[in-house]
Amino acid sequence: MRLLEHNNDSEFSLTQDFVSSKIPEYAILSHTWGADTEEVTYRDLIDGTRKNKVGYEKIRFCGEQARRDGLHYFWVDTCCIDKSNNNELAEAINSMFQWYHNAAKCYVYLPDVSLPVIDIGDMSDQLLWEMAFRTSRWFTRGWTLQELIAPTSVEFFSKNWGPLGDKKSLERHICEITRIPSKALRGSHLAEFSATERMSWAETRQTTREEDMAYSLFGIFNVHMPLIYGEGRVNAVGRLREAIDRKEKGIKYENFSIPFSLSTISEIEHFVAREDELRYIHEALRGDGSRRTVVLYGLGGIGKTQLAIAYAKRHKDNYSAIFWLNIKDEDSLKQSFASVAKQILREYPSARWLSSVNMKNLDEVIDAVKAW
């Protein structure tokens, strides 16, 4: 791992390539990339042309913030990796999650969030930066997912270097924006979350190179793969799923199957199934294991519930569990989750997450069922 270090003249320079056992304490930058011509590269540092580029400002920010935090070394992906060296690039991408995890501080630089001088009597300024924070491009990029989850300390900064808060103080906003559970943000082992759930965290994110949609998830699944730029997103994601499957074969999982029952659901005796609709639902729901949703909408009394029941009965053998939730109102939904929890516990009394949950705390029950 190659770092940047402060010099006596308030400048910085590249270090030697440290081996893992001798890497000193360092800060790390998380950011969104601009155009290739704007970013400071490894070659720019070597040639001394770094100050001519727009991207130099965020490197300078990282260095100055690291200095303020008493850290002599810092790391920025644009210029600390020699991307012309394929072996070095592959090692860096396969090590990236660990590098962010090991950082003493991770600074998130948000050029699309400005922090004005706040008038204590006027909260509109506070609301403005919060809205900008929620819509920041940083939350839409593939690589920043691991940069949010991996480090223990993640601090957010505005375009003008002003502190916005950290992963803890902004947790509610971050959870709402990303749909990532707070447990994952707080450092829970990622193996506690299913592969499908972890995949869902990245499903709305984007990367400049299509293969990076898979490569940026290596650390999220703790797998390592060779890079084959040019293989396309489908092939890259396919190789990633194969690597995940191989890794999980060595882990003993409890049987997650639950007997199928519609005993609590009213059903008409003779339902004339809508074959086209059933076929469409089946096509939409089957796939690669990622989260899928089908919404049945229309006037009351035209058979939406019975269509859902017909689908569940026809395809029940394709699923390890099927649950019916009453979402008439918030209380009905919570009570449905409580019923699901009891159903699971009847089959698996020692089920992880559920066996120790307080069944009177419905919010806790809901989180436990989702985790299961």
Side-chain angles (χ1 to χ4, degrees):
M1 184 182 193
R2 189 185 294 113
L3 297 169
L4 294 165
E5 66 176 326
H6 295 288
N7 300 329
N8 294 329
D9 56 359
S10 298
E11 289 291 326
F12 53 83
S13 59
L14 287 166
T15 69
Q16 62 179 350
D17 199 355
F18 292 104
V19 295
S20 58
S21 61
K22 296 183 178 180
I23 297 174
E25 196 173 41
Y26 61 92
I28 200 165
L29 179 68
S30 176
H31 66 107
T32 55
W33 282 56
D36 287 344
T37 55
E38 297 177 350
E39 299 296 347
V40 177
T41 66
Y42 171 79
R43 180 49 55 187
D44 291 327
L45 289 185
I46 298 299
D47 294 343
T49 57
R50 60 193 180 194
K51 294 184 179 180
N52 301 330
K53 293 192 171 182
V54 175
Y56 177 73
E57 184 70 6
K58 56 190 170 187
I59 300 175
R60 193 167 70 86
F61 151 73
C62 184
E64 289 300 315
Q65 187 61 42
R67 188 197 299 274
R68 283 192 286 270
D69 288 333
L71 296 167
H72 184 68
Y73 298 95
F74 59 104
W75 187 90
V76 180
D77 57 355
T78 60
C79 58
C80 289
I81 305 169
D82 180 3
K83 297 177 182 65
S84 66
N85 183 325
N86 290 335
N87 290 334
E88 182 174 327
L89 178 61
E91 180 182 358
I93 288 179
N94 276 276
S95 305
M96 197 79 70
F97 187 93
Q98 201 61 40
W99 288 353
Y100 274 89
H101 176 73
N102 292 341
K105 296 272 189 178
C106 176
Y107 306 133
V108 179
Y109 177 70
L110 303 177
D112 50 1
V113 179
S114 296
L115 186 63
V117 177
I118 297 176
D119 180 351
I120 296 177
D122 182 5
M123 293 306 293
S124 60
D125 287 335
Q126 176 81 8
L127 294 174
L128 282 174
W129 84 253
E130 285 186 2
M131 286 193 298
F133 179 77
R134 285 176 171 272
T135 58
S136 174
R137 181 171 176 261
W138 187 85
F139 289 107
T140 70
R141 307 307 295 167
W143 287 104
T144 57
L145 174 61
Q146 66 177 0
E147 295 165 15
L148 170 64
I149 292 176
T152 300
S153 173
V154 179
E155 300 176 2
F156 294 85
F157 294 86
S158 67
K159 177 181 181 179
N160 45 355
W161 300 14
L164 301 171
D166 58 23
K167 187 160 63 168
K168 183 177 180 180
S169 66
L170 295 170
E171 182 179 282
R172 179 176 63 84
H173 294 298
I174 296 170
C175 289
E176 291 174 357
I177 297 165
T178 64
R179 303 298 181 189
I180 298 172
S182 57
K183 285 175 59 179
L185 297 178
R186 295 173 186 174
S188 291
H189 199 290
L190 292 182
E192 293 183 19
F193 306 93
S194 69
T196 300
E197 182 172 10
R198 280 177 276 170
M199 278 289 187
S200 74
W201 301 342
E203 63 186 10
T204 61
R205 293 172 178 260
Q206 299 175 335
T207 56
T208 302
R209 302 195 69 168
E210 57 181 312
E211 295 88 355
D212 283 341
M213 281 306 302
Y215 302 164
S216 63
L217 298 177
F218 287 176
I220 299 295
F221 294 98
N222 192 24
V223 299
H224 302 280
M225 286 167 35
L227 310 184
I228 310 177
Y229 282 110
E231 66 177 321
R233 174 173 177 169
V234 173
N235 289 331
V237 172
R239 287 200 299 126
L240 174 63
R241 290 190 179 280
E242 290 175 0
I244 295 169
D245 289 343
R246 285 194 301 271
K247 189 175 186 66
E248 293 188 344
K249 279 181 180 178
I251 304 173
K252 183 179 179 181
Y253 289 101
E254 58 185 317
N255 182 358
F256 278 52
S257 62
I258 300 290
F260 178 73
S261 173
L262 285 170
S263 59
T264 61
I265 308 301
S266 60
E267 181 179 3
I268 58 177
E269 185 175 354
H270 301 292
F271 175 65
V272 180
R274 299 172 180 243
E275 292 300 325
D276 288 343
E277 285 87 345
L278 287 172
R279 187 161 46 249
Y280 175 81
I281 294 171
H282 184 53
E283 288 295 325
L285 289 180
R286 72 179 183 179
D288 55 8
S290 61
R291 182 175 58 191
R292 304 285 177 111
T293 303
V294 167
V295 177
L296 305 179
Y297 63 95
L299 296 173
I302 64 173
K304 300 186 297 294
T305 299
Q306 297 304 322
L307 182 59
I309 292 172
Y311 173 82
K313 291 177 67 176
R314 180 172 298 187
H315 297 288
K316 64 182 184 296
D317 293 335
N318 295 337
Y319 299 91
S320 56
I322 296 175
F323 299 113
W324 184 272
L325 303 180
N326 180 359
I327 318 182
K328 182 174 65 174
D329 51 43
E330 184 176 355
D331 183 65
S332 299
L333 176 58
K334 289 184 176 181
Q335 293 297 335
S336 291
F337 268 98
S339 297
V340 168
K342 292 173 183 176
Q343 188 179 353
I344 296 169
L345 286 170
R346 279 197 299 270
E347 299 297 322
Y348 305 104
S350 60
R352 190 162 52 143
W353 294 292
L354 282 164
S355 57
S356 59
V357 72
N358 177 6
M359 297 300 289
K360 293 182 180 180
N361 186 331
L362 294 181
D363 290 329
E364 190 175 318
V365 170
I366 290 172
D367 289 339
V369 170
K370 289 180 177 179
W372 178 87

